Amino acid sequence: MKPRRADLASALLRSFAIQASWNYHTMIGGGMAFVMAPLLARIHAGDPVALREAMERHAAEFNAHPYLATIAVGALARAEHEGAPAETLGRFRTALSVPLGALGDQGVWAGWRPFCVLSAVIAFLVGLGPVAAATGFLVVYNLGHVLVRAWGLRLGWDEGLAIGGSLRSGRLQTLARSLIPVNLALTAVASVLLIARIPAGAPGPWICGLAAGIGMTGYLVPRRVTPFAMAALFLSLAAWAL
Amino acid sequence: MIGVEITAGEWLLVCLAGALLGLDGIAWPQAMWSRPVAAGTIGGLLFGAPAHGFLAGAWLEIVASRHPPFGAARYPETGPAALLAGSAYALSEAASLGALIAAVLVGWAVGWIGMHSIAWLRTVNSRLVADAASLPGGPGEVVGRHRTALRLDALRGAALCGALFIPSLLAVRLAETFRPDQLGTRPAAALAAIGLAGLAGCGARALGTRRDRWGPVVMGIAAGLLLAWLVA
């Protein structure tokens, strides 16, 4: 039986908790079964054996970005509805995992999220109130967040086993990459403003120049500079106490 | 004397906020109220100083940016960390540089403790859901156990914040007992600026960019200096 609109809505709501049982064996496998349960119950209505087999299939090892996992949910539900063989479903599941993870990491974790967070930090540092800046961040960020989950579920259901074509089209990657230079600039702006707002008063021009140099060195060789920069923060506290 | 008065109601509020922030990080709904700027502001709001909470959160945001949550990577848990840092800085008397740096370092330490608690919960989840699909309860068993994992994560967040709230406050208050003169604050401010700039540079690179794309960083530094001059 074809899932109803209410089943898709239920799956969308459940997708917000897809990572609740994240573990080192099946990763978000349990979450996938949890999200797909209303869809599978409709698709396999009246056939408890088929339902049980489908739940077992989708509770198996799987990982993807939590927002874009709705693409996999929609596509797998469509394939289940169209009666795809278990072997095909297994291969399809495995094939989806890596591109959905990479796309989400680049588009959401390295793109949309830092863009919204850093914009809020800059807005606060140039005079917006803290509650307005934090609320603005949450509203704007979650507009994108909810949209991505809903769009993913719809796209997955519409495309089914043919979803690979849409993921390979490159439009999503282009959009994700376009935010990276913007976020680099926003990181620099936010850091300069934070340094200018140090409670003891902004350091002089020589120290600011040195800080800029160390920031650039951190960008070029992050692994070497991270411990040095953390040590500087600890030493700052020690200098304060001494 | 570095004591601080906290009512049982305030402590419970912090535990409740810790549960919601701990949940948001991974389990539900990932709406990012667990990001330091939001969680720090919540911590500040609980004690009447949201601006202090936001500032501590903004520093933590830069410190934590070196560890993006790509794949199954381990990274500091920012929600409870920023809640406690924001609360502790909001409750400091003079909101000095020493208190801010202490709050940020407390948040950094809580973040890594939180990460270890998440790793522990993930091993519990392995036993809880890994074979749930083939359990006697059938398909309903998977759903039920997934919901149990959700509740456990809320408990974890609450317990983490409940246990570390008072120690965090005391650490920041201790830093505040030191009041260096004007000359004494300069080295501390210089080291803080150098540390923050270095971590920001490392965080920018962790966005998945290439080494040779430093043009936007330089433009950002110039724009930041201009903005700082305009705002001053």
Side-chain angles (χ1 to χ4, degrees):
Chain A
M1 200 183 290
K2 189 179 176 184
R4 295 174 187 165
R5 202 176 271 266
D7 302 322
L8 286 166
S10 174
L12 179 63
L13 281 179
R14 284 175 176 232
S15 77
F16 287 89
I18 197 166
Q19 291 201 132
S21 60
W22 206 105
N23 65 82
Y24 296 114
H25 288 105
T26 60
M27 288 175 271
I28 64 166
M32 281 292 284
F34 172 76
V35 175
M36 291 183 73
L39 300 170
L40 295 175
R42 184 73 63 192
I43 291 165
H44 299 293
D47 188 349
V49 175
L51 174 60
R52 189 188 179 105
E53 284 173 359
M55 285 292 278
E56 278 188 26
R57 259 196 302 278
H58 296 298
E61 182 186 332
F62 185 73
N63 203 18
H65 187 275
Y67 297 1
L68 293 182
T70 54
I71 295 179
V73 169
L76 285 164
R78 180 65 179 259
E80 286 274 356
H81 173 61
E82 289 172 349
E87 203 175 293
T88 306
L89 285 167
R91 280 203 305 268
F92 181 56
R93 237 170 148 263
T94 308
L96 278 178
S97 182
V98 173
L100 290 183
L103 191 57
D105 285 349
Q106 197 172 50
V108 182
W109 295 157
W112 184 237
R113 189 174 74 178
F115 173 77
C116 294
V117 167
L118 293 165
S119 301
V121 169
I122 293 166
F124 167 74
L125 292 170
V126 297
L128 191 65
V131 177
T135 310
F137 154 63
L138 289 174
V139 169
V140 173
Y141 176 82
N142 282 299
L143 280 175
H145 166 204
V146 175
L147 198 72
V148 163
R149 284 192 193 259
W151 165 82
L153 186 62
R154 184 63 194 253
L155 180 75
W157 176 259
D158 286 347
E159 302 274 327
L161 290 173
I163 191 69
S166 296
L167 294 178
R168 276 193 301 270
S169 72
R171 274 176 298 183
L172 289 169
Q173 284 92 335
T174 307
L175 191 68
R177 281 192 203 120
S178 65
L179 276 178
I180 287 179
V182 178
N183 288 339
L184 290 178
L186 291 179
T187 303
V189 173
S191 321
V192 171
L193 290 175
L194 277 172
I195 289 169
R197 280 270 299 257
I198 282 181
W206 288 105
I207 296 297
C208 286
L210 181 62
I214 291 184
M216 286 304 295
T217 312
Y219 179 73
L220 295 173
V221 280
R223 286 186 184 203
R224 298 205 176 165
V225 172
T226 301
F228 175 77
M230 280 309 299
L233 278 189
F234 277 101
L235 282 174
S236 161
L237 189 60
W240 179 265
L242 294 173
Chain B
M1 184 68 181
I2 56 163
V4 54
E5 272 188 26
I6 291 295
T7 66
E10 286 170 334
W11 182 80
L12 280 173
L13 264 180
V14 168
C15 291
L16 183 65
L20 289 172
L21 292 167
L23 268 178
D24 183 64
I26 291 167
W28 175 87
Q30 293 206 299
M32 297 302 136
W33 59 63
S34 57
R35 284 316 298 172
V37 288
T41 307
I42 292 169
L45 260 178
L46 288 178
F47 298 97
H52 292 166
F54 193 108
L55 189 61
W59 274 69
L60 262 181
E61 196 74 61
I62 299 291
V63 171
S65 63
R66 176 74 186 95
H67 304 279
F70 295 162
R74 291 191 174 193
Y75 48 89
E77 188 192 22
T78 55
L83 175 75
L84 298 189
S87 306
Y89 188 50
L91 281 166
S92 66
E93 280 176 350
S96 60
L97 173 64
L100 176 62
I101 300 298
V104 170
L105 292 175
V106 158
W108 176 78
V110 173
W112 285 108
I113 295 170
M115 184 279 287
H116 284 291
S117 72
I118 288 172
W120 169 79
L121 186 63
R122 285 175 171 180
T123 60
V124 174
N125 284 344
S126 291
R127 290 196 289 272
L128 194 67
V129 297
D131 300 318
S134 52
L135 287 171
E141 191 89 29
V142 184
V143 174
R145 292 193 172 212
H146 189 77
R147 288 191 171 129
T148 303
L150 200 65
R151 291 184 200 109
L152 285 176
D153 197 32
L155 276 176
R156 183 196 59 79
L160 184 72
C161 288
L164 297 177
F165 178 48
I166 303 292
S168 303
L169 292 187
L170 292 177
V172 173
R173 274 298 177 96
L174 178 64
E176 268 231 317
T177 57
F178 301 99
R179 299 272 167 85
D181 56 17
Q182 189 63 30
L183 191 68
T185 59
R186 281 184 193 165
L191 283 164
I194 286 168
L196 185 77
L199 289 167
C202 302
R205 186 68 185 284
L207 291 171
T209 184
R210 292 196 316 263
R211 190 175 173 166
D212 58 357
R213 290 179 78 172
W214 47 266
V217 182
V218 174
M219 281 196 290
I221 292 172
L225 287 171
L226 181 67
L227 266 178
W229 177 70
L230 286 173
V231 171

